């Protein structure tokens, strides 16, 4: 596996683990609020082939409450 692929996969797994932890009774909300955005910000560029060619995450349907 390429180094970028490993970093991407590891970070996604940690975000998933954090989401599972957040659902637990007694989870430390301050920890979640601090670590979640840091993990998301450290997410490297996705490996080639993760998204289809020409994919733009800023394109797509309007979400409820947007575009009014």
């Amino acid at each position: 596996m390429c180094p970028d692929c490993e970093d991407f996969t590891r970070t996604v797994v940690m975000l998933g683990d954090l989401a599972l932890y957040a659902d637990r009774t007694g989870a430390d909300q301050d920890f979640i609020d601090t670590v979640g955005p840091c993990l998301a910000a450290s997410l490297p560029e996705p490996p080639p082939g993760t998204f289809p060619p020409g994919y733009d995450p800023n394109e797509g349907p309007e979400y409820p409450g947007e575009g009014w």
Side-chain angles (χ1 to χ4, degrees), residues 6 9 17-18 22-23 26 28 30 32 36 40 45-46 51 58 60 64 67:
E6 285 182 43
T9 301
D17 288 343
L18 183 64
D23 283 339
D28 183 349
D30 290 335
I32 296 163
E45 286 292 317
F51 298 107
N58 297 315

Side-chain angles (χ1 to χ4, degrees), residues 7-64:
D7 289 344
F8 183 80
T9 301
R10 185 179 310 114
T11 305
V12 169
V13 168
M14 287 192 288
L15 282 166
D17 288 343
L18 183 64
L20 291 174
Y21 171 72
D23 283 339
R24 294 180 61 170
T25 302
D28 183 349
Q29 192 61 45
D30 290 335
F31 175 78
I32 296 163
D33 291 343
T34 302
V35 173
C38 294
L39 280 174
S42 71
L43 197 61
E45 286 292 317
T50 302
F51 298 107
Y55 174 78
D56 182 357
N58 297 315
E59 297 288 322
E62 292 183 6
Y63 291 96

